[in-house]
């Protein structure tokens, strides 16, 4: 049904945002803060930063979708050129 499809899409997007935010946190933010501040970040602060990164990435994704919708079919024709 339609509800199952919506649930599947939301679950997939949630997993993608969560895993990507964790990768950004562990591979970029944590080493940068360790290098800059010369101390490790606590798990509490890491969780907060991880959530903020996930929200920002979600908003960027929404902006990209809205931007792509304005292109209509032209973006599909551009992608087939390569």
């Amino acid at each position: 049904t339609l509800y199952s499809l919506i649930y599947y899409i939301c679950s997939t997007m949630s997993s993608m945002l969560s895993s990507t935010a964790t990768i950004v946190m562990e591979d970029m933010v944590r080493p940068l803060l360790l290098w800059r501040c010369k101390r490790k970040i606590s798990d509490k602060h890491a969780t907060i930063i991880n959530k903020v990164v996930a929200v920002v990435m979600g908003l960027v994704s929404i902006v990209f979708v809205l931007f792509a919708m304005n292109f209509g079919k032209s973006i599909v024709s551009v992608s087939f050129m390569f």
Side-chain angles (χ1 to χ4, degrees):
T1 64
L2 181 61
Y3 294 118
S4 299
L5 181 63
I6 292 172
Y7 173 78
Y8 176 73
I9 291 171
C10 289
S11 175
T12 302
M13 289 302 297
S14 173
S15 298
M16 287 175 28
L17 284 174
S18 177
S19 63
T20 307
T22 302
I23 290 170
V24 168
M25 175 63 199
E26 293 298 326
D27 292 346
M28 296 173 72
V29 176
R30 193 179 292 262
L32 180 66
L33 291 175
L34 182 64
W35 172 72
R36 190 78 173 140
C37 299
K38 304 294 187 216
R39 61 187 166 120
K40 290 187 176 183
I41 188 171
S42 69
D43 288 339
K44 181 179 178 181
H45 288 114
T47 302
I48 292 169
I49 293 172
N50 198 9
K51 289 179 182 181
V52 169
V53 169
V55 168
V56 168
M57 294 178 80
L59 293 174
V60 168
S61 299
I62 291 171
V63 168
F64 279 147
V65 166
L66 294 175
F67 184 68
M69 284 174 45
N70 287 335
F71 276 116
K73 293 183 179 184
S74 65
I75 197 164
V76 174
S77 62
V78 169
S79 67
F80 283 122
M81 288 174 45
F82 296 105

